[in-house]
Amino acid sequence: MRKADQPSDPARLSWMLGKAQTWQPYVDGNRLDDVAAVLDNYVPSKDEVEALGTRLRSHLRHMVQLAVTSQADQRDPEVADLVKRAQDARSAALGEDHSEAVGHLRQLAWRLDAFLERLVENQCLRERP
C-alpha cells in the first residue's frame, strides 16, 4: 500500500482546516425539487409535463453556461461529456405520447442531477445559488 501524500505546508493545512470547518452541502431547492418531482415514484400528469420540461431545460441551460464560463468542461472530461449530453437532451422534443414524454423528462432530470453533483465536485457551485 502506498503511503498517503501529506501536505507539509502549514498555510495549506490551515486552509484545508478552514474549508473543512465551514463546509456545507450544496442545496438548491428549485432544481432539486424539479428533479425530485420527475424522479420520484409520482408520474407527472399531462398538464405538468410541459411545465416541468421547460424548467428542467432551463436548469440544464444554466448548468451548461456555468460549466463553460468556469471552464470546468475543459478541466474535467466528465463535465465536457455532461455538457454535450445536456445540449442533446435539451434539443430533443418531449414526445407525443405521455409515457414517452415522462421518459424524456426523467432523462433530463438524471442529467441535471449528475451535472449538479459534478459541478459541486468541481467547486463551480456555492451553497447559495
Side-chain angles (χ1 to χ4, degrees):
M1 180 182 286
R2 183 173 76 90
K3 187 176 179 179
D5 293 327
Q6 299 284 327
S8 58
D9 181 18
R12 178 80 175 151
L13 287 171
S14 178
W15 176 82
M16 289 172 59
L17 177 62
K19 283 293 210 179
Q21 289 174 332
T22 60
W23 177 84
Q24 292 182 358
Y26 175 77
V27 176
D28 179 356
N30 295 333
R31 290 183 185 116
L32 296 177
D33 286 348
D34 287 344
V35 167
V38 174
L39 297 180
D40 209 358
N41 288 332
Y42 168 76
V43 176
S45 69
K46 290 181 182 183
D47 296 334
E48 296 170 309
V49 166
E50 190 65 38
L52 283 168
T54 300
R55 288 199 309 266
L56 289 172
R57 283 188 178 106
S58 176
H59 296 323
L60 280 171
R61 186 187 82 252
H62 182 250
M63 295 292 103
V64 167
Q65 289 172 342
L66 187 58
V68 171
T69 57
S70 67
Q71 298 180 341
D73 62 329
Q74 295 175 11
R75 294 188 310 269
D76 185 343
E78 191 173 333
V79 172
D81 183 53
L82 286 168
V83 166
K84 182 179 176 348
R85 291 175 37 209
Q87 290 170 330
D88 291 344
R90 283 185 58 235
S91 63
L94 282 178
E96 300 292 324
D97 181 54
H98 180 253
S99 61
E100 186 179 317
V102 170
H104 185 69
L105 280 180
R106 290 190 171 146
Q107 287 179 352
L108 290 170
W110 278 117
R111 286 189 172 104
L112 179 58
D113 186 57
F115 229 137
L116 286 168
E117 285 184 28
R118 201 69 200 155
L119 290 181
V120 167
E121 287 177 26
N122 279 276
Q123 298 182 351
C124 295
L125 294 173
R126 291 171 272 143
E127 59 204 58
R128 295 193 191 277

